Amino acid sequence: MKNVVRVKNLSIGEGKPKVCVPITGATKKEINDELDLLQTIKVDLVEWRGDLFQEIENKEAVKSMLQKINQEIPNFPLLFTFRTKEEGGGRKVTLEKYKEINRFVIESELTNMIDVELHRGEKLVKELVSFAHLHNQKVVISNHDFNQTPSHEEIISRLKLAADYEADIGKIAVMPHSNTDVLTLLSATSDMKEQSKIPIVTMSMGGEGVISRLAGEVFGSAITFASGKQASAPGQVEAKKLHSILNVIHDSLKG
């Protein structure tokens, strides 16, 4: 990958894939328990899955929780994600509500990165990207296909579209139905490693695709998602185990 994205003290796009652990609690208590756990395990950045929070449409509750997260884990870059039901998330919302939630979080300037779904429509995606950049926040443009693994060409096309929409990082997660599907994802990742203007994040979900979560440094995926208290997607590896495996691969590559 030619470009490196720097967020706080983290350089995304060079060296080992950065380990991101999601906060998935539905209630304040559950989130507080996860924050306690995060202070005991090694992570590089944290994702707050806002779509799983029961009070996500209560702006004061959202702002209060963002402040709490920043207070408890001030050294980790924070990625805010509202994953829609269409892409495997916890809540179905209108485009207007999706825009409203994301704009509010961006405007609070209590996050470092924001996730925007590629297929929310070109106009909305570009608007949110511009708004995030105006507020000095990086943007991950993502796509999640829980039904299948698209073709090699389609995976590359979606990642290139994310770059065209001015993403700082492009992300795609797909569902394999065979070993060949996993190889398709890895091959497309490897090709994009050479072509992409931005760091990319790719994964093949489920147990069959777990190799894609481990071998990012080989094939070109800049972030890998690990489970803390609870996984946010199929196939996530527990954070401590994941770090150990990434270290083995990294040391082997150094020769």
Side-chain angles (χ1 to χ4, degrees), residues 15-16 217-218 246-255:
K16 290 183 292 186
E217 191 170 0
V218 177
L246 295 178
N247 285 337
V248 169
I249 293 172
H250 181 71
D251 291 344
S252 298
L253 291 172
K254 288 195 301 184

Side-chain angles (χ1 to χ4, degrees), residues 202-254:
T202 70
M203 66 210 69
S204 184
M205 293 182 282
E208 203 161 25
V210 71
I211 185 64
S212 68
R213 297 182 182 275
L214 310 177
E217 191 170 0
V218 177
F219 293 95
S221 182
I223 298 173
T224 185
F225 289 76
S227 61
K229 198 170 184 68
Q230 180 178 327
S232 64
Q236 284 180 359
V237 179
E238 188 270 323
K240 185 176 180 180
K241 291 180 182 177
L242 183 57
H243 269 291
S244 296
I245 296 166
L246 295 178
N247 285 337
V248 169
I249 293 172
H250 181 71
D251 291 344
S252 298
L253 291 172
K254 288 195 301 184

Side-chain angles (χ1 to χ4, degrees), residues 64-108:
S64 175
M65 188 51 63
L66 285 167
Q67 290 170 334
K68 175 71 172 176
I69 293 170
N70 277 278
Q71 176 186 335
E72 293 297 321
I73 47 172
N75 297 322
F76 300 136
L78 178 62
L79 165 66
F80 175 80
T81 297
F82 187 98
R83 182 71 60 238
T84 63
K85 195 78 170 177
E86 292 89 340
E87 298 213 7
R91 190 177 299 233
K92 186 176 179 64
V93 294
T94 64
L95 280 178
E96 192 57 38
K97 179 59 68 174
Y98 180 82
K99 172 182 171 181
E100 178 187 334
I101 291 168
N102 279 292
R103 280 183 65 93
F104 175 76
V105 171
I106 292 167
E107 200 164 20
S108 76

Side-chain angles (χ1 to χ4, degrees), residues 23-28 30-31 34 48-49 52-54 230:
I23 296 171
T24 59
T27 66
K28 292 176 183 177
E30 290 174 356
I31 292 173
E34 290 183 72
W48 182 27
R49 281 289 302 273
L52 301 176
F53 182 45
Q54 287 178 352
Q230 180 178 327

